[in-house]
């Protein structure tokens, strides 16, 4: 075990670990010496790469909307590793459309996966953390859970819910030594982003979104994994109930081009 592995001896469960942000968290946590368990609708091709670097890796094919399936995952993990120290809830789906055009079924799908799924995963894992009197829960919200976006109705409502659910869990479980924090990413280069605004027909809108990231680019999944590592590690031992916004300045304020006029672009 390398001495600089800051999560050595920790057991982490990561939902949405098959892709994007969840997969990047799994890779980072494995590099830091954690036992990593991934959960997603299907196993990713990159999982073998993680398994090579990590002390132990498991992958569970399960739906975050299924409480009993996740309780079985937790039971298996606890039987194998005796504890779960870190939970990252990164499973998620996106949608678009204003309320009057959005089908009710689409609203239900997005709220179910993003918000209820976060609740159900936490519900499955928290009894273990309560019993061991320790844990770090990291939910994945979004800048769209803090500020609105045209056409974002269901997705933004789901992420706003995640932001406040996180704060409530932080209050409820602090007495048991469990920290609960949310990461609110800006727009991150993942398959989800590509599906949302990758189409050629949306190139002008995609460019306007990119421009609002004051650092001038979309984020990388590894940059969210770095924030998750901080919240998982002892470096954040006094941090709970927070939104850690990792967005390249997206919600810092409106960018209209004065920086260019001032020669600061
Ligand atoms: P991603 O690459 O699509 O990864 C999300 C993963 O979750 C996918 O593997 C997806 O499987 C899985 N998933 C979907 N529904 C599930 C379910 N019911 N049960 C289990 N797994 C399920 O997307 P990402 O960009 O990494 O997103 C991760 C999280 O970050 C999401 O909550 C997203 O809302 C949030 N986020 C993303 C961005 C961004 O710009 N990328 C910005 C802010 C917040 P399928 O591919 O089969 O659906």
């Amino acid at each position: 075990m390398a001495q600089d592995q800051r999560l050595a001896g920790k057991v982490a469960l990561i939902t949405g670990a098959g892709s994007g942000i969840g997969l990047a968290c799994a890779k980072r946590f494995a590099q830091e010496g954690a036992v990593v368990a991934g959960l997603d609708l299907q196993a990713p091709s990159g999982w073998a790469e993680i398994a090579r670097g990590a002390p132990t890796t498991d992958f569970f094919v399960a739906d975050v909307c299924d409480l009993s399936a996740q309780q079985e995952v937790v039971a298996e993990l606890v039987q194998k590793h005796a504890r779960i120290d870190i939970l990252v809830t990164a499973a998620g789906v996106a949608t678009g459309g204003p309320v009057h055009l959005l089908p009710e079924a689409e609203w239900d799908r997005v709220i179910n996966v993003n918000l209820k799924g976060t609740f159900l995963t936490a519900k499955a894992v928290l009894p273990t953390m309560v019993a061991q009197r320790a844990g770090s829960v990291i939910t994945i919200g979004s800048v769209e859970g803090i500020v609105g976006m045209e056409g974002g109705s269901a997705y933004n409502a789901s992420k706003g819910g995640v932001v406040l659910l996180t704060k409530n869990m932080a209050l409820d479980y602090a007495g048991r030594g469990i920290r609960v924090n949310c990461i609110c990413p800006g727009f991150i280069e993942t398959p989800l982003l590509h599906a949302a605004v990758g189409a050629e027909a949306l190139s002008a809108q995609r460019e306007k979104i990119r421009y609002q990231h004051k650092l001038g680019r979309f984020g990388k999944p590894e940059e969210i994994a770095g924030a998750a590592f901080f919240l998982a590690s002892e470096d954040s031992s006094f941090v709970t109930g927070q939104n850690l916004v990792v967005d390249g300045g997206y919600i810092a304020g409106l960018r209209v081009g004065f920086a260019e006029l001032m020669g600061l672009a």
Side-chain angles (χ1 to χ4, degrees), residues 150-261:
E150 296 154 289
S153 55
Y155 182 78
N156 293 17
S158 75
K159 292 300 182 178
V162 168
V163 166
L164 210 56
L165 173 63
T166 304
K167 290 185 185 292
N168 276 279
M169 292 194 290
L171 295 174
D172 291 344
Y173 297 104
R176 286 299 179 104
I178 301 164
R179 298 184 295 107
V180 190
N181 293 287
C182 184
I183 296 173
C184 285
F187 288 69
I188 309 299
E189 283 172 356
T190 70
L192 181 141
L193 179 67
H194 186 74
V197 294
E200 191 51 42
L202 295 178
S203 60
Q205 285 73 21
R206 189 168 60 246
E207 175 53 24
K208 284 179 183 167
I209 295 169
R210 187 199 59 74
Y211 183 72
Q212 285 309 324
H213 293 75
K214 311 313 181 281
L215 293 180
R217 61 176 175 84
F218 294 124
K220 299 182 175 67
E222 295 73 21
E223 293 174 307
I224 305 305
F229 167 65
F230 166 68
L231 291 173
S233 78
E234 285 305 307
D235 279 4
S236 61
S237 56
F238 204 47
V239 181
T240 196
Q242 295 304 304
N243 278 328
L244 179 47
V245 177
V246 184
D247 71 344
Y250 181 89
I251 64 166
L254 187 63
R255 183 183 200 185
V256 295
F258 287 135
E260 280 89 338
L261 290 179

Side-chain angles (χ1 to χ4, degrees), residues 16 18-22 39-42 62-65 90-93 113-114 140-142 155 159 185-188 190-193:
S19 178
I21 290 168
L39 185 155
D40 205 307
L41 295 174
Q42 55 189 14
D63 189 329
V64 294
C65 300
V93 290
V113 175
N114 294 1
I140 305 294
S142 169
Y155 182 78
K159 292 300 182 178
F187 288 69
I188 309 299
T190 70
L192 181 141
L193 179 67

